[in-house]
Amino acid sequence: MGPTGPTGPSGGPTGSTGPTGPQGIQGEIGPTGATGPAGISGVFNYADFYALMPPDNSATVAPGTDVSFPQDGPNSGADIIRTGPSSFSLSQIGTYQVFFNVPVTEAGQLELTLNGAPIEYTVVGRATGTSDISGMFLAETTTINSIITVRNPAGNAAALTITPLAGGTSPVSAHLVIIQIA
């Protein structure tokens, strides 16, 4: 057989694309993937306890004595409850954000206690008598039904007057807000 001859010229231009065919059958569902990490936790429980001056906290708060918040504000149920006018039970082990605001006439300090023991990093105060004493902290409990209070620290020289009618004629409020966050 003899040698192959040269290739001839290519054919005409490419034709247009044809119509899309029908969709195929759906395949089987694949296996479920691994569970992702837990998301950020939110608020579990909350409670707002307050006092109005007057008539609440009519006596001074002596050193080593707790501030009264005898009235109940909004709350989420039975996990953060009062056990008296100045003590509050945290029924679950967890982390709580605690905020208090108390109008006080004198220079002074306040602190949180947990199960009767002062939480040293929660002491807040002021040197003059011109503003509220307030603080916001995280407190962790390690036992169920832990008791939390706001206290005029033992060893302080002065009893504290919770200021009545501060700045006007209406009773002013003091607040203790507790929010379980973990």
Side-chain angles (χ1 to χ4, degrees):
M1 187 171 205
T4 304
T7 303
S10 62
T14 303
S16 60
T17 303
T20 302
Q23 181 171 347
I25 301 171
Q26 182 172 343
E28 292 182 33
I29 295 175
T32 300
T35 301
I40 297 173
S41 61
V43 171
F44 292 98
N45 298 294
Y46 62 89
D48 181 4
F49 304 101
Y50 67 96
L52 294 176
M53 282 71 64
D56 303 329
N57 286 297
S58 57
T60 58
V61 179
T65 304
D66 299 325
V67 176
S68 291
F69 300 93
Q71 303 200 44
D72 295 336
N75 66 73
S76 62
D79 290 321
I80 303 170
I81 60 169
R82 80 172 46 262
T83 57
S86 59
S87 59
F88 308 90
S89 176
L90 310 175
S91 69
Q92 298 181 26
I93 294 172
T95 301
Y96 294 82
Q97 182 178 33
V98 182
F99 169 79
F100 65 81
N101 184 49
V102 183
V104 176
T105 303
E106 302 82 14
Q109 296 179 328
L110 293 171
E111 69 185 351
L112 292 178
T113 69
L114 189 61
N115 297 323
I119 304 173
E120 67 180 31
Y121 65 86
T122 67
V123 177
V124 292
R126 59 149 199 261
T128 64
T130 59
S131 62
D132 294 354
I133 297 177
S134 58
M136 183 172 16
F137 314 96
L138 293 180
E140 294 180 310
T141 61
T142 57
T143 60
I144 62 170
N145 300 319
S146 292
I147 302 297
I148 197 163
T149 69
V150 176
R151 180 172 292 166
N152 181 357
N156 280 356
L160 299 176
T161 304
I162 311 300
T163 310
L165 306 172
T169 59
S170 297
V172 294
S173 62
H175 281 268
L176 171 63
V177 177
I178 305 170
I179 303 168
Q180 183 185 10
I181 60 173

